[in-house]
Amino acid sequence: IGPVPSGKLSIFKKQFTQYVNVFGIHLFGTSKVPPVKLRHAAIILAEYLDNDEDGKPDNPLVVEALVARDAFLMMIATVL
């Protein structure tokens, strides 16, 4: 987990302070999201895309489609 990268993603820097990339899919978290929760989301996404856990997406066409559309997941902390 690191800061939101510069470039085309810098538009997210105002709202999000945490960033992870999983197979080219962007995950963002606000400063109030515990890093462990963002890491957990990244692990679940990675396992979903790479179910046999060989380090490669099981269906590269799915990942290519998501990356081509700049897919992202954002996490915010909420208090009920």
Side-chain angles (χ1 to χ4, degrees), residues 11-79:
I11 192 168
F12 292 100
K13 286 186 176 191
K14 184 176 179 182
Q15 295 85 8
F16 301 99
T17 59
Q18 303 177 76
Y19 174 80
V20 179
N21 186 304
V22 176
F23 295 122
I25 301 161
H26 312 289
L27 288 82
F28 300 94
T30 63
S31 61
K32 293 187 178 184
V33 171
V36 68
K37 297 288 187 180
L38 186 60
R39 184 175 297 114
H40 179 71
I43 290 168
I44 296 299
L45 178 60
E47 289 176 347
Y48 179 74
L49 296 171
D50 176 20
N51 194 258
D52 62 7
E53 297 183 10
D54 67 353
K56 299 178 284 190
D58 296 334
N59 188 336
L61 296 177
V62 170
V63 175
E64 287 174 23
L66 291 167
V67 171
R69 290 167 177 79
D70 285 324
F72 65 90
L73 177 135
M74 56 184 176
M75 294 180 66
I76 60 171
T78 58
V79 178

